[in-house]
Amino acid sequence: MLHSPVPTSPAASGSRQPQAPSRPGSRPSRPPSGPSRPPSAHSRPSSSPSSVPLSRSSLHPDRVGPTIRSTSAYRFYSTLRSPRLSVPASVRTSATGDELQNSVVAAWVETEPTAERKREVDLLVQDVQQVLDAGHQWNGRFKVDVFGSVSWGGDTGNGSDVDLVILDNKWKRGYEPKLWRAPPEVENPVVPPGPPSRIRGAPLIYDMFWVRNRLRSAGFPQAQAIAFAATPIVQFQSRNGALKCDVNTNDLGGWYNSSLILHYCLIAPYVLRPMIYALKLWAAAHQLNDSSGARGPPSMSSYCLTLMAIVYLQHVGALPNLQADVTAVVPSYAHTDEPDVVWVGWGKPQATKARVGFNRRPPAGWTPRDPDLTVADALRGFFAFFAPGGRGAFDYDNDAVSVLHGGVLKRASAKHDETKTEHEKRERMKAEGHTTDAIAREMGRLLLERRKQEVYMGKGDLGIQPKNWAEKRLIVQDPFLWEKNCAGGMSKDGLDRFLAAVDHANLVLTSAGLSATPDTLLSPSTYSTPRRKPVRNGRGRLESPLSRNGIAGLLAQPGL
C-alpha cells in the first residue's frame, strides 16, 4: 500500500493507531516512561517488517490524486517512545570493543531533547495556531504542524531550528495548476516573481507579510518575511527567544520528506538515526553544512546527506526500498494529474510536481542482509563506498544516488558526455563556416528539443534524465521531485571539499580500526581553500564558523 500522507483531520483515518487530538495545534501527550510502558518498535534492534509501527491510514482507490490520508510525521512520532531512551545494551556497548560504536551511540543518546524543550515545541505550535486563528473564521481549514528533523527525531539536543508548515485542508494538494500565476500551456513564463498573496482567491494566510504582521503584533517582534523565495517563509523566534523558527503556508515538500525519512528510521532506528547524527557532526566539523552559501561556497545540505545515508544502507541491504511499487506516468507534464501527486513552489509562476507515494512497511518477506550491522560499521562503509578517485565502489562518472531506486541509479550518459557532444557540434559548425548567430540558434534548438524529452524520463531509468545531471559530478535524486538533483546547488569548491573530506574520513577510520572515535572522524582534512566573505544567499543566515572543540563544541552550535 502506497503511503501519501495528505494533511487531514484525524477522523479521516482508520482507528488502528492511537488517535491524534483534534484540537488545533495540539499534540498527543507522550506516554509515560516507567516500567509499565508497553513495548514499542524502538524497544529492540529489530528490522522485521512486522515490528515496524504504522501510522494511521485509509485507502481511497477511487480518489483522484493522493490516495492515503494520515497524520504527520511529527504527530505520529509523538506517539512513540524516542529510540534514544531505549537503546539496548548490545547497541550501547560493542562486543568487539569498537570505540567508534560506543562513542557515537553514547553521544547520540545525550542529544535527546529535554522534556522542557519538547513542551516548548508543543506550546509553540499551539501558540502560532492561536495567533493565526484569532479573529478569523477559518472553520478548521488551516492547521499548524512541524516538519524537518524535529518531526522525525533527527534533532540534536536543544539547538535545532523548528520548521513549521500551515496545512490547508481545502487545498490539500498544494499549489495546484488551477492556482498558477502563469497558465500551464505557457512554456518558460516571464512573470514577475511574487508571493502567493498575488494568487487569485488565496486567503490572507498565504501572504507572508500578513503572517509576519500577525506574529509581530502577537509578541514575536523579530518576525521577518522572505516572501519572494521559491518557498515563501517567515523567520521568527518563540516569544522567549528559545526557539528559532521558519513557517510557510502549505508548501508540502518538506512535510512529505519528513514522513519518508521517519519511516526509514523506524526500520533501522539504531543504525540510521545515529548514523545521520554522526554525519551531521562530521559535515559541521569540516564546514560542509552550508547549502545556502551564507558562510562561503555552497556545500552540502543535511537533507542531501541524509538521502546519501539511506542510499548506502539500501545498497548494503540494511534498508529496503519503500518506493519500489511506485509507477511512473510517461509522458508526465507539470500540470497533468497523477496518483499521489502534490505541487510545490508557491513562489514560482508555475509549480513543480512532487510524487509523494511510498510504502510504510518493507516488502513482505524482507529482512536485513546483516542484522548485526552497527552504526560504526555503517559509517566506515559509507565513507569507503563514497570515497572518490576510484577508491570507493560508487562511480561518480556513471552512478547517481537514488533513494527512489533503492540505492544506485545508472546515469543515462556519463558525466560531461553531453557537454562534449555539444562542443563537438559547435566546432563542426564553425569549421563548416556557419555564423555565430546560426550556431547559437541551432544550439538553442537542440537544447529545447533535449528538454522536451525530459517529460519521458519517468523515474529516471528509461534512458532519459535531466540535461543538468550530465553536467554534475554528484547526483542525488530527490525521492519525490524526480527531476531534481539535491546536490545540484553545491559549488565546485564545496563539492571538492566534500569529496576530500570523505576521502580523508575513509583513510583515518581505516587506519584507526576499532580504536577510532568520533574525534577521529572529526579530525581536520588536509584540503583547504581561501575563505571568501560570507554573503546572504536565499534563506541562508550569517553565522560564525564552527568551533573545533570535538563533540562538545559542535553540540553547542545551533541548528545541527
Side-chain angles (χ1 to χ4, degrees):
M1 181 187 298
L2 292 184
H3 165 58
S4 169
V6 177
T8 186
S9 62
S13 301
S15 58
R16 292 185 300 168
Q17 299 293 328
Q19 292 295 315
S22 59
R23 182 165 52 87
S26 63
R27 178 181 183 182
S29 59
R30 295 177 179 269
S33 56
S36 63
R37 169 189 303 280
S40 74
H42 305 298
S43 61
R44 63 186 186 278
S46 171
S47 295
S48 169
S50 62
S51 72
V52 178
L54 283 178
S55 51
R56 300 176 298 116
S57 70
S58 58
L59 182 63
H60 303 280
D62 59 342
R63 191 168 175 266
V64 176
T67 56
I68 302 294
R69 299 185 173 197
S70 79
T71 53
S72 71
Y74 173 68
R75 296 182 186 280
F76 179 41
Y77 184 67
S78 297
T79 68
L80 307 174
R81 190 182 186 193
S82 170
R84 284 174 284 205
L85 301 177
S86 56
V87 181
S90 60
V91 174
R92 281 181 177 269
T93 306
S94 168
T96 60
D98 191 337
E99 284 299 318
L100 185 61
Q101 171 71 16
N102 298 341
S103 300
V104 166
V105 172
W108 170 63
V109 168
E110 289 299 316
T111 65
E112 173 68 11
T114 64
E116 178 59 30
R117 161 77 179 199
K118 295 171 185 177
R119 282 193 295 270
E120 286 177 343
V121 176
D122 288 338
L123 292 173
L124 173 70
V125 173
Q126 296 177 40
D127 200 359
V128 174
Q129 183 76 59
Q130 291 169 2
V131 168
L132 298 175
D133 284 346
H136 290 272
Q137 297 298 321
W138 304 122
N139 295 321
R141 175 174 173 177
F142 298 105
K143 304 292 183 183
V144 178
D145 199 10
V146 180
F147 68 99
S149 60
V150 172
S151 71
W152 54 266
D155 47 338
T156 52
N158 298 319
S160 299
D161 293 353
V162 180
D163 296 311
L164 301 177
V165 58
I166 305 167
L167 301 173
D168 186 339
N169 279 321
K170 180 177 180 181
W171 293 348
K172 295 174 188 270
R173 307 184 71 187
Y175 189 20
E176 297 185 58
K178 66 182 181 182
L179 304 172
W180 293 359
R181 295 200 304 277
E185 62 271 13
V186 177
E187 295 185 8
N188 303 315
V190 180
V191 176
S197 57
R198 295 186 180 178
I199 296 172
R200 183 175 300 174
L204 283 173
I205 205 167
Y206 280 86
D207 184 346
M208 291 298 100
F209 295 110
W210 183 87
V211 174
R212 177 203 62 187
N213 294 340
R214 295 285 295 185
L215 290 171
R216 283 183 178 179
S217 63
F220 300 88
Q222 299 187 33
Q224 298 291 333
I226 303 178
F228 294 92
T231 301
I233 64 169
V234 172
Q235 295 177 340
F236 65 102
Q237 293 183 9
S238 57
R239 295 180 194 271
N240 62 1
L243 303 176
K244 292 182 178 180
C245 317
D246 292 343
V247 62
N248 77 75
T249 302
N250 209 36
D251 208 292
L252 302 171
W255 194 82
Y256 283 104
N257 292 335
S258 299
S259 186
L260 178 65
I261 294 171
L262 170 62
H263 282 79
Y264 274 114
C265 286
L266 293 176
I267 298 170
Y270 304 114
V271 177
L272 179 56
R273 289 184 185 277
M275 182 183 183
I276 294 171
Y277 158 75
L279 289 174
K280 285 184 176 182
L281 285 185
W282 167 80
H286 294 279
Q287 299 180 5
L288 297 170
N289 60 340
D290 183 20
S291 60
S292 67
R295 302 183 298 275
S299 51
M300 179 72 70
S301 69
S302 294
Y303 174 60
C304 188
L305 197 58
T306 297
L307 294 180
M308 293 180 71
I310 293 172
V311 160
Y312 172 71
L313 294 181
Q314 289 176 321
H315 177 73
V316 298
L319 285 176
N321 181 3
L322 296 181
Q323 294 175 282
D325 294 338
V326 173
T327 58
V329 175
V330 179
S332 177
Y333 300 92
H335 63 280
T336 54
D337 199 2
E338 298 172 20
D340 299 302
V341 161
V342 299
W343 284 268
V344 300
W346 286 90
K348 301 176 182 179
Q350 296 176 340
T352 302
K353 178 181 288 186
R355 303 157 179 92
V356 295
F358 66 91
N359 285 300
R360 299 161 184 260
R361 277 184 172 163
W366 179 88
T367 57
R369 190 179 305 162
D370 179 5
D372 298 321
L373 182 75
T374 67
V375 63
D377 296 334
L379 286 169
R380 292 186 180 97
F382 176 91
F383 290 112
F385 180 72
F386 286 111
R391 288 178 288 279
F394 186 78
D395 183 349
Y396 286 87
D397 288 342
N398 295 290
D399 293 343
V401 177
S402 178
V403 171
L404 174 67
H405 288 276
V408 174
L409 168 67
K410 287 298 179 183
R411 293 184 187 232
S413 60
K415 178 171 67 73
H416 296 323
D417 270 7
E418 289 196 38
T419 303
K420 186 186 302 183
T421 301
E422 291 169 2
H423 176 72
E424 292 171 351
K425 171 78 172 179
R426 192 178 290 106
E427 292 301 311
R428 188 165 56 251
M429 292 186 69
K430 284 182 182 179
E432 293 170 354
H434 293 277
T435 66
T436 302
D437 287 346
I439 294 174
R441 285 194 300 271
E442 175 63 10
M443 300 309 294
R445 184 190 68 79
L446 292 175
L447 176 61
L448 183 61
E449 290 298 316
R450 172 67 175 82
R451 288 179 174 169
K452 286 182 177 179
Q453 295 176 9
E454 293 177 9
V455 300
Y456 296 92
M457 73 167 278
K459 295 163 66 173
D461 55 353
L462 302 177
I464 298 174
Q465 293 169 355
K467 184 181 186 306
N468 57 15
W469 284 19
E471 302 164 0
K472 298 294 183 179
R473 187 175 182 186
L474 175 61
I475 300 171
V476 180
Q477 184 183 28
D478 190 287
F480 295 148
L481 307 174
W482 296 348
E483 303 85 358
K484 180 179 178 180
N485 174 15
C486 294
M490 297 180 71
S491 65
K492 181 181 183 301
D493 176 79
L495 181 56
D496 285 345
R497 288 193 296 112
F498 172 79
L499 295 177
V502 169
D503 200 31
H504 174 74
N506 180 42
L507 291 174
V508 297
L509 289 177
T510 301
S511 176
L514 294 180
S515 63
T517 67
D519 284 337
T520 306
L521 184 61
L522 306 181
S523 62
S525 169
T526 56
Y527 182 87
S528 62
T529 55
R531 294 186 62 78
R532 64 177 174 85
K533 183 180 179 181
V535 296
R536 293 194 182 275
N537 180 12
R539 291 178 57 177
R541 304 185 184 96
L542 291 173
E543 298 177 21
S544 60
L546 291 166
S547 62
R548 191 182 294 276
N549 296 319
I551 291 179
L554 288 167
L555 288 177
Q557 303 299 324
L560 292 184

